[in-house]
């Protein structure tokens, strides 16, 4: 496959692995966090960890859009789906995320709610157009990558005067989450989470550019290397991070130059700015309330804001008490440190959200890497 | 005076007609449909007996029986349709024991309103598939359900066959050291179907691989009677089949990603849809496991058959208390190839 296989080449991977092993100082440890679930998935799926020297370790970050959504928001989506005449559309992974009392959108669907999986926000808009007798709600989730498509359908709904369409907005922002991790006591005061640098998001950065990370590199003295989602991208980024650490640099470097520029996609940014504004605060699973980390729909699009249209109640539901998703999302714990991992909590019966999405740290480790635990 | 033709029955309108409730009521309309469609398409000496059951003699030996219900959507897809699929599916299930399939039954559940023209196309495709396979459909049944209670047409087929002397093929016979082979490119059927689904506006030159594999199996069994396991990786794809066999045989497996044959087009479509070709369905491929010393002969036999031209050795059976199926990635790392959870879903971000 052109332009894909080149980034999965085994020979190049072994060469890069040898470079990393040669350049990494055996006298020290390197701990890098890959923020994105896409990177977590690639690392597990291609067995990247097997190619790294013992003293270079990857910590999984919170960048899985399904995982970070708190139970309360899922419960709200279920509440919406159960309103008479409502068709709730969302991305596939959301259907299986457990909410209160083992309920999920999939179970609500089995009980009669009209819940539909869509591949894009445009599909939800189409459903609204072809079902004028139904109230179609798009349960929008995701980081900066999925926000512009949601903005587009909101603009289109407004232009079309489509009254039976609305969006339940749960879009969140990457830089706010990175800052939250850097400010966390585990990193700042306790030092229990050693963090020598970040692999910066791939797709998110195509939208926001590399500029937003410059602050972290400067303020917190942590190197950031923006990398694509292919395994060679990840390996190359790790080598660049090792070099920065060795040379005492803390800069933003861009490995993913084939898609990411410093300014990002200005058109997409303008779209988002037209439709959305910052929420004062938004709850994240694992990170708690993070200031200015989520988006809401502007007043000028209020008729298409499901939260206002249906006066969605706020649900505050704590995570399952045995579930370590919170600590795993902060990078403080590894999936295998969780008592329910692989026993009560499996991809078939997930207790926490990290076990649901293929981008979740637990699901990735369970699906691709758990054989390693048997050798420990 | 009007002249009424004696015993005149207006022929079934296969051009514009639709299935209605009378086609399943047991009355004249049903008898006529059976006569004009099923009997004429499947025609053989057993159906001509016109009994509620087929009566036939069987050779001595171990018999096998398999059943499979087909609910594929869309009903017609590049490379096939539900009709030929329902024949191939059951013929293959019988053949995966090493048996020679002998007879098939066919049960139809039709939805009221289904176009008779489509039904005719499906039945004729079934008849062609059965004839090509040399496995007659000897008995059948038709039911009609009200509109909204079916999905056009569901077909159940059951097959019987006889295992040749000296052949003992079973999912629990894989032993550490055995070699794992596949008969060709994986993922064609699933991707061809997926590309046809209306919500994915996809235009791909990929055709379903639907095919009856008993000819290939007969050649394999003759060359290597000591084959341990055979299975067709249908729903859930290669990954699911290997996990089933590992579990049944209480063994582990190690496969090599670089050795698994997948077409470029299939790889690209999977990449685009966020799917893993290892989990995508096949309808004309098989997985074989045999002792290491027989692997070369088996591979050569498979490659000599038109349905096994692209056969390949993909890995080995290992000793593993956890019955993991592991894969050496082309990238140079290792990972599990796990059971599928729910359905394969595209990535969000």
């Amino acid at each position: 496959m052109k332009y894909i296989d080149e980034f999965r080449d085994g020979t190049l991977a072994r060469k890069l692995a040898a470079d990393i092993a040669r350049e990494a100082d055996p006298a020290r440890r390197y701990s890098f966090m890959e923020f994105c679930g896409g990177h977590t998935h690639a690392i597990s799926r291609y067995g990247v960890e097997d190619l790294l020297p013992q003293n270079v370790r990857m910590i999984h970050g919170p960048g899985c859009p399904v995982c970070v959504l708190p139970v309360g928001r899922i419960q709200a989506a279920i509440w919406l789906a159960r309103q008479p005449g409502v068709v709730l559309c969302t991305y596939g992974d959301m259907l299986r995320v457990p909410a209160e009392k083992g309920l999920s959108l999939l179970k609500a669907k089995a009980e009669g709610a009209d819940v539909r999986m869509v591949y894009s926000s445009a599909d939800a808009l189409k459903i609204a157009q072809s079902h004028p007798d139904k109230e179609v709600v798009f349960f929008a989730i995701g980081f900066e990558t999925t926000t512009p498509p949601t903005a587009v359908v909101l603009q289109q709904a407004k232009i079309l005067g489509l009254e039976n369409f609305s969006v339940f907005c749960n879009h969140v922002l990457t830089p706010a989450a990175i800052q939250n991790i850097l400010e966390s006591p585990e990193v700042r005061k306790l030092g229990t989470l050693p963090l020598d640098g970040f692999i910066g998001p791939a797709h998110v950065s195509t939208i926001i550019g590399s500029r937003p990370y410059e602050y972290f590199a400067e303020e917190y003295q942590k190197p950031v290397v923006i990398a694509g989602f292919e395994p060679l991208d990840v390996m190359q980024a790790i080598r660049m991070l090792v070099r920065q650490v060795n040379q005492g640099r803390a800069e933003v470097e861009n490995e993913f130059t084939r898609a990411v520029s410093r300014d990002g996609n200005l058109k997409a940014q303008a779209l988002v700015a037209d439709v959305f504004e910052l929420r004062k605060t938004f709850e994240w699973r694992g990170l708690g309330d993070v200031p200015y980390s989520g988006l809401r729909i502007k007043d000028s699009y209020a008729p298409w804001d499901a939260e206002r249209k249906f006066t969605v109640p706020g649900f505050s539901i704590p995570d399952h008490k045995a579930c370590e998703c919170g600590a795993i999302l902060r990078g403080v714990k590894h999936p295998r440190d969780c008592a329910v991992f692989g026993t009560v909590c499996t991809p078939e019966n997930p207790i926490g959200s990290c076990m649901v999405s293929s981008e979740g740290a637990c699901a990735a480790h369970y699906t691709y890497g758990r054989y390693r635990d048997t050798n420990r | 005076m009007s002249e009424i033709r004696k015993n005149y029955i207006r022929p079934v309108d296969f051009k514009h007609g639709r299935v209605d409730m009378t086609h399943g009521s047991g009355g004249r309309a049903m008898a006529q449909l059976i006569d004009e469609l099923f009997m004429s398409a499947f025609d053989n000496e057993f159906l001509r007996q016109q009994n509620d059951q087929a009566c036939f003699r069987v050779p001595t030996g171990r018999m096998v029986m398999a059943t499979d219900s087909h609910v594929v959507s869309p009903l017609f897809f590049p490379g096939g349709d539900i009709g030929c699929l329902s024949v191939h599916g059951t013929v293959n299930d019988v053949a995966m024991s090493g048996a020679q399939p002998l007879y098939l039954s066919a049960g139809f559940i039709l939805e009221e309103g289904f176009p008779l023209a489509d039904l005719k196309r499906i039945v004729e495709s079934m008849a062609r598939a059965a004839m090509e396979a040399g496995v007659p459909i000897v008995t059948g049944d038709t039911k009609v359900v009200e509109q909204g209670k079916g999905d056009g047409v569901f077909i159940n087929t059951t097959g019987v066959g006889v295992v040749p002397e000296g052949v003992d093929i079973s999912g629990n016979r894989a032993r550490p050291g055995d070699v794992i082979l596949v008969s060709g490119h994986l993922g064609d059927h699933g991707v061809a179907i997926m590309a046809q689904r209306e919500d994915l506006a996809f235009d791909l030159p990929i055709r379903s691989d639907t095919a009856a594999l008993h000819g290939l199996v007969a050649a394999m069994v003759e060359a290597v009677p000591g084959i341990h396991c055979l299975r067709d990786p249908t729903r859930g794809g290669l990954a699911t089949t290997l996990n089933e066999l590992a579990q049944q045989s209480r063994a582990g497996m190690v496969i090599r990603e670089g050795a698994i044959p997948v077409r470029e087009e299939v790889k690209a479509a999977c990449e685009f849809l966020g799917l893993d070709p290892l989990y995508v369905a096949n309808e004309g491929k098989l997985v074989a496991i045999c002792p290491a010393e027989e692997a070369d002969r088996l591979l050569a036999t498979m490659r000599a058959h038109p349905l096994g031209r692209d056969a390949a050795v993909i890995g080995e059976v290992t000793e593993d208390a956890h019955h993991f199926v592991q894969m050496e990635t082309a990238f140079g790392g290792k990972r599990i190839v796990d059971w599928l959870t729910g359905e394969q879903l595209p990535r969000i971000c």
Side-chain angles (χ1 to χ4, degrees):
Chain A
M1 224 179 326
K2 272 240 170 246
Y3 313 121
I4 292 283
D5 288 344
E6 291 87 338
F7 296 96
R8 297 177 186 171
D9 185 85
T11 319
L12 271 178
R14 278 184 289 280
K15 192 181 164 299
L16 264 174
D19 289 349
I20 293 170
R22 196 175 49 246
E23 290 179 34
D25 177 357
R28 61 158 301 162
R29 290 182 69 82
Y30 301 80
S31 301
F32 302 126
M33 175 180 277
E34 85 277 6
F35 179 84
C36 269
H39 286 129
T40 305
H41 185 89
I43 288 168
S44 304
R45 178 170 173 179
Y46 296 96
V48 169
E49 280 181 49
D50 293 335
L51 295 165
L52 297 178
Q54 277 297 326
N55 58 336
V56 177
R57 279 292 145 243
M58 301 308 296
I59 302 165
H60 309 316
C64 156
V66 174
C67 306
V68 295
L69 210 58
V71 183
R73 299 298 281 188
I74 313 277
Q75 198 69 33
I78 294 172
W79 180 90
L80 268 169
R82 285 175 163 174
Q83 299 309 300
V86 164
V87 177
L88 188 95
C89 303
T90 192
Y91 299 127
D93 271 351
M94 291 312 300
L95 301 186
R96 297 197 301 119
V97 181
E100 210 176 17
K101 294 184 185 121
L103 199 65
S104 64
L105 280 167
L106 202 66
K107 287 187 180 149
K109 180 175 192 273
E111 287 170 10
D114 195 342
V115 179
R116 300 188 195 181
M117 184 186 109
V118 290
Y119 285 90
S120 79
S121 55
D123 292 345
L125 192 79
K126 259 185 248 156
I127 293 172
Q129 284 176 294
S130 54
H131 294 82
D133 54 322
K134 297 278 187 189
E135 269 296 335
V136 176
V137 179
F138 178 55
F139 179 20
I141 64 138
F143 291 95
E144 290 87 341
T145 329
T146 47
T147 311
T150 307
V152 169
V153 288
L154 279 164
Q155 282 187 344
Q156 285 175 338
K158 190 175 183 179
I159 293 165
L160 293 166
L162 203 61
E163 287 175 4
N164 67 327
F165 178 77
S166 58
V167 169
F168 178 40
C169 177
N170 292 276
H171 286 299
V172 287
L173 301 170
T174 307
I178 294 183
Q179 177 154 14
N180 184 278
I181 288 169
L182 287 167
E183 287 285 352
S184 70
E186 288 95 345
V187 175
R188 282 228 114 166
K189 298 198 194 88
L190 306 173
T192 42
L193 176 63
L195 203 56
D196 300 310
F198 282 97
I199 293 189
H203 296 172
V204 163
S205 305
T206 62
I207 307 290
I208 68 173
S210 65
R211 198 195 294 270
Y213 310 104
E214 290 169 6
Y215 169 76
F216 305 117
E218 175 73 28
E219 178 70 20
Y220 298 91
Q221 284 298 299
K222 301 285 183 199
V224 178
V225 176
I226 294 158
F229 278 148
E230 295 302 326
L232 278 184
D233 288 321
V234 177
M235 299 276 295
Q236 173 72 2
I238 292 168
R239 183 170 76 167
M240 290 163 81
L241 283 169
V242 167
R243 279 188 187 167
Q244 284 208 40
V245 170
N246 287 352
Q247 294 165 2
R249 289 185 290 129
E251 295 163 13
V252 175
E253 288 182 308
N254 184 3
E255 183 277 341
F256 199 30
T257 49
R258 63 188 189 275
V260 173
S261 65
R262 184 157 180 253
D263 290 326
N265 183 337
L266 297 173
K267 208 168 171 183
Q269 291 168 21
L271 256 171
V272 171
D274 174 51
V275 176
F276 298 108
E277 61 190 10
L278 280 174
R279 291 178 196 259
K280 279 217 170 68
T281 182
F282 192 75
E283 188 192 344
W284 292 54
R285 197 190 291 241
L287 307 183
D289 285 318
V290 180
Y292 301 108
S293 65
L295 296 174
R296 69 168 179 222
I297 296 167
K298 277 185 174 173
D299 285 346
S300 48
Y301 288 87
W304 295 274
D305 182 353
E307 274 181 85
R308 296 189 233 193
K309 192 173 188 177
F310 297 91
T311 15
V312 179
F315 295 91
S316 180
I317 300 162
D319 282 353
H320 192 285
K321 59 179 184 295
C323 174
E324 295 280 13
C325 276
I328 291 164
L329 285 167
R330 289 198 306 276
V332 178
K333 288 198 172 174
H334 188 274
R336 68 176 162 264
D337 302 329
C338 176
V340 292
F341 174 83
T343 55
V344 186
C345 185
T346 61
E348 274 71 30
N349 289 297
I351 303 286
S353 56
C354 299
M355 192 54 106
V356 174
S357 167
S358 63
E359 290 163 55
C362 295
H365 183 62
Y366 188 91
T367 310
Y368 296 128
R370 71 182 190 279
Y371 72 91
R372 287 195 186 93
D373 298 347
T374 64
N375 306 328
R376 292 174 79 85
Chain B
M1 225 169 93
S2 68
E3 207 175 299
I4 299 169
R5 274 208 271 172
K6 226 178 177 179
N7 295 333
Y8 174 74
I9 303 174
R10 189 201 303 258
V12 178
D13 181 2
F14 284 115
K15 217 165 173 186
H16 306 293
R18 285 175 182 275
V19 170
D20 62 47
M21 296 309 291
T22 64
H23 288 123
S25 65
R28 199 169 273 146
M30 185 173 117
Q32 193 188 359
L33 185 71
I34 290 172
D35 207 46
E36 289 184 32
L37 182 60
F38 298 111
M39 289 283 284
S40 93
F42 299 150
D43 182 55
N44 56 56
E45 56 179 303
F46 308 97
L47 281 176
R48 265 179 257 133
Q49 295 164 359
Q50 299 214 23
N51 291 323
D52 284 351
Q53 69 291 120
C55 192
F56 47 76
R57 292 193 182 282
V58 285
T60 52
R62 290 160 62 219
M63 283 198 77
V64 293
M65 180 169 166
T67 190
D68 206 341
S69 294
H70 299 268
V71 296
V72 65
S73 168
L75 297 169
F76 303 94
F77 46 83
D81 54 62
I82 189 172
C84 61
L85 190 67
S86 69
V87 170
H88 296 152
T90 298
V91 163
N92 291 346
D93 283 349
V94 170
M96 292 309 132
S97 64
Q100 172 64 36
L102 296 173
Y103 303 108
L104 287 175
S105 76
F108 291 81
I109 295 173
L110 309 175
E111 187 183 3
E112 180 187 21
F114 188 67
L116 286 170
D118 286 350
L119 182 61
K120 189 159 188 267
R121 239 177 105 191
I122 290 166
V123 169
E124 284 170 352
S125 161
M126 262 183 106
R128 211 165 29 245
M131 198 186 69
E132 282 167 9
V135 187
I137 295 165
V138 296
T139 185
D141 176 57
T142 309
K143 294 282 185 315
V144 179
V145 293
E146 283 167 34
Q147 209 156 67
K149 293 189 173 172
D151 190 10
V153 52
F154 298 145
I155 305 176
N156 170 276
T157 49
T158 296
V160 293
V162 171
V163 185
E165 260 336 295
V167 172
D168 181 15
I169 293 170
S170 174
N172 61 6
R173 295 201 59 218
R175 294 288 171 268
D178 281 2
V179 169
I180 307 167
L181 303 94
V182 295
S183 65
H185 291 109
L186 297 173
D188 295 4
H189 176 75
V191 167
I193 293 278
M194 222 136 9
Q196 283 291 301
R197 294 209 171 139
E198 54 184 338
D199 49 344
L200 294 171
F202 242 58
D203 192 15
L204 280 174
I206 300 169
R207 295 165 64 81
S208 165
D209 59 349
T210 181
L213 295 168
H214 60 305
L216 172 64
V217 171
M220 289 166 66
V221 164
E222 203 190 325
V224 182
I227 293 174
H228 283 164
C229 315
L230 284 178
R231 192 155 293 179
D232 50 343
T234 53
R235 264 177 313 176
L238 176 72
T240 303
T241 295
L242 292 183
N243 274 289
E244 285 169 6
L245 295 173
Q247 201 69 249
Q248 260 181 284
S249 295
R250 313 193 64 71
M253 292 181 185
V254 175
I255 56 173
R256 287 175 296 278
E257 190 177 26
I260 302 170
V262 181
R263 288 182 210 282
E264 285 296 299
E265 309 90 281
V266 171
K267 265 191 214 167
C270 285
E271 192 61 39
F272 200 85
L273 297 170
L275 307 176
D276 185 338
L278 297 186
Y279 293 89
V280 176
N282 310 277
E283 290 292 345
K285 299 289 153 32
L286 60 79
V287 175
I289 296 178
C290 74
E293 58 275 18
E294 316 230 56
D296 287 343
R297 185 150 31 109
L298 190 59
L299 182 66
T301 308
M302 289 165 81
R303 284 187 172 166
H305 192 278
L307 291 175
R309 258 198 315 261
D310 303 302
V313 168
I314 60 162
E316 286 82 38
V317 179
T318 57
E319 215 156 322
D320 179 354
H322 294 89
H323 317 322
F324 283 140
V325 177
Q326 294 186 41
M327 182 161 82
E328 289 165 6
T329 68
F331 195 67
K334 251 185 168 187
R335 66 141 153 135
I336 301 184
V337 177
D338 208 1
W339 293 89
L340 185 61
T341 301
E343 283 188 65
Q344 277 207 97
L345 295 169
R347 282 225 313 254
I348 293 171
C349 191

